[in-house]
Structure formats: structure tokens, C-alpha cells
Amino acid sequence: MKDLFDLTGKIALVTGASRGIGESIARLLASRGAHVIVSSRKVDACQAVADSIVADGGKASAFPCHVGEMEQIAAIFEHIKSEFGQIDILVNNAAANPYYGHILDTDLAAFEKTVDVNIRGYFFMSTAAGKMMREQGGGVILNTASVNGVVAGDKQGIYSITKAAVISMTKSFAKECGPLNIRVNALLPGLTDTKFASALTNNDKVLNMALKAIPLGRVADPDEMAGTVLYLVSDASSYTTGATIIVDGGMLA
């Protein structure tokens, strides 16, 4: 019987992959046979993850990209075209959340940084990958959104707004790219133990309130997000597109 989770021969780009959920995704995809391009803003951090994957017997390389910078998006896809000639999987995971506070006090710099990375970055990463996928006959795009895109997080206004946009973006790309054999889905993580979420997990009062709302009664480990991503980028989900899968320990249940 065919292994539906086999990614042998696939080229996968994972952004925000130097730590946290992105790193877990990169490691799992590599363990299933994909060559993973580990990407984030800092090349040294990317290279460390790529080297570790290779040391474990996987295939990986590193290429830095700040998805909030259009020229860097162009550069990474030029690299992929010249080095690999294909891209089968794009995981848009890099995100920005520079402001934690009342929505009325959101300043322009925080607004622009969050929008540039979480909306513009995801959009143009997806169009660049999608054009390559269109030429080669198909591919898969996975967006990391958030449960905050469904129920806005307190003191996380602009971040929640952008993640709601990612959910809408996922559906729009799925609808228009389905006829091109390009599937587009989204992962919606709940509270996860990452540096990115440290403003919440390191605040005992906020953390205790959050845990009361989570039926499983705990924060997720980043590795617990990667399995859903593997499903969505593999042949196991070959008839799934436009889906938004919530992985939140039951919080929104």
C-alpha cells in the first residue's frame, strides 16, 4: 500500500523555520523524505537547523528571507528556481506580533510590521510559489494562521486581524488555484510553547486564565502542530483544499 505521507523527492520551503513551530515542521517534513529549505531572517539560525536535519539523515539547506521585504521574497524564489527547478510545498509560517496591548494604542510601526509580514508577506510568497507550481503542474501551500483569526485575542488586535486575513486568503487562493492542481490550506494553532508566544506563556496571570479555557489543560508543544501540517501537505489530504484546521486543545470547542 502506498505511503500517503511519503514526501520523497519533494522540495519544501518552510519560513520561520529557525525555531518553534516552523522548526518542528521542517524537521518532520525532512524525516518523511522532503528536501527542506529552512528559512527565516537570520542565516546562522537557519543553517544550524539545516545542519541538524542533515546530521539526522535528512535533506535540508538554508536560505534567509524576511518575508516582509519584497526583494528578499524575489531572491529566495530565484534561488529555488536555479538550485532546484521546482517547489512542491510552501509553508508560510513566519509571522510578526510586535505589539501586545490595547488596540486603541496600536502605533503605525507595529501596524505596518504586522501587516507587512502576516498579510503582504504570505500573499506574495504564495503568488511566487504558485506561479512555479502552475508551471510544473501542481503543489501545496500551507498557511499558519491562528485561533486568534477566529476569536480575537485580548490585547492582540492587529495580530488577530491579520490572522483572520490569512484564513480568508487561504480560501481565496484555494478557490482560484484548485483548477491548477494547487491545494491551499491553513493550520490554526492554539496557545503553543514558543518564544513567539512568550508574552502570554511567561505571564502567569494570563497563562492561568488561558489554561482554564483549554479542555486539555495545557499549552501545546510545537511538535504537536507539525503532524497536521504533514497531513495537509501530503497525499493523505489529496482532496482537501480551502480547509482551516484548528489545533488548540479544544479551546474553541
Side-chain angles (χ1 to χ4, degrees):
M1 181 177 177
K2 179 183 178 182
D3 181 354
L4 295 176
F5 296 98
D6 183 17
L7 301 179
T8 301
K10 304 291 187 182
I11 304 299
L13 169 59
V14 183
T15 68
S18 62
R19 65 184 187 219
I21 293 172
E23 179 181 355
S24 292
I25 292 169
R27 290 184 182 280
L28 183 58
L29 300 191
S31 77
R32 299 304 300 162
H35 180 111
V36 177
I37 303 163
V38 178
S39 186
S40 72
R41 291 177 299 165
K42 299 178 180 179
V43 66
D44 290 346
C46 295
Q47 193 64 57
V49 173
D51 289 345
S52 177
I53 289 172
V54 171
D56 288 339
K59 297 179 180 179
S61 54
F63 198 92
C65 180
H66 186 327
V67 302
E69 302 290 340
M70 293 296 292
E71 63 274 13
Q72 293 194 34
I73 293 176
I76 195 168
F77 281 97
E78 282 301 316
H79 166 73
I80 292 169
K81 287 177 184 177
S82 63
E83 187 73 16
F84 303 101
Q86 69 185 76
I87 181 166
D88 304 289
I89 298 165
L90 167 65
V91 178
N92 281 316
N93 176 73
N97 188 13
Y99 175 66
Y100 180 77
H102 198 284
I103 194 169
L104 297 181
D105 298 318
T106 309
D107 63 29
L108 180 60
F111 177 92
E112 290 181 334
K113 181 177 181 179
T114 312
V115 169
D116 286 352
V117 173
N118 298 0
I119 300 179
R120 191 181 71 179
Y122 278 38
F123 184 90
F124 286 104
M125 289 289 290
S126 296
T127 58
K131 288 172 184 176
M132 289 185 66
M133 292 173 180
R134 178 172 60 188
E135 292 177 3
Q136 68 198 30
V140 184
I141 298 172
L142 185 284
N143 295 320
T144 300
S146 171
V147 292
N148 287 7
V150 179
V151 176
D154 184 41
K155 297 182 176 61
Q156 301 169 73
I158 186 56
Y159 175 76
S160 299
I161 289 166
T162 62
K163 288 304 186 178
V166 170
I167 293 170
S168 179
M169 187 189 309
T170 298
K171 295 177 183 294
S172 294
F173 272 83
K175 179 163 285 190
E176 296 196 41
C177 294
L180 303 174
N181 194 33
I182 300 170
R183 298 189 297 107
V184 188
N185 296 292
L187 167 73
L188 277 61
L191 187 58
T192 307
D193 188 14
T194 64
K195 183 177 180 181
F196 189 83
S198 60
L200 302 177
T201 57
N202 290 344
N203 183 319
D204 288 342
K205 182 179 179 181
V206 173
L207 178 60
N208 288 334
M209 287 180 61
L211 292 178
K212 290 178 182 178
I214 300 173
L216 290 185
R218 61 179 177 83
V219 175
D221 183 87
D223 288 346
E224 294 181 292
M225 300 297 147
T228 299
V229 174
L230 174 60
Y231 165 70
L232 289 172
V233 303
S234 71
D235 287 343
S237 63
S238 58
Y239 197 60
T240 301
T241 195
T244 54
I245 298 185
I246 296 168
V247 185
D248 68 349
M251 186 179 73
L252 297 188

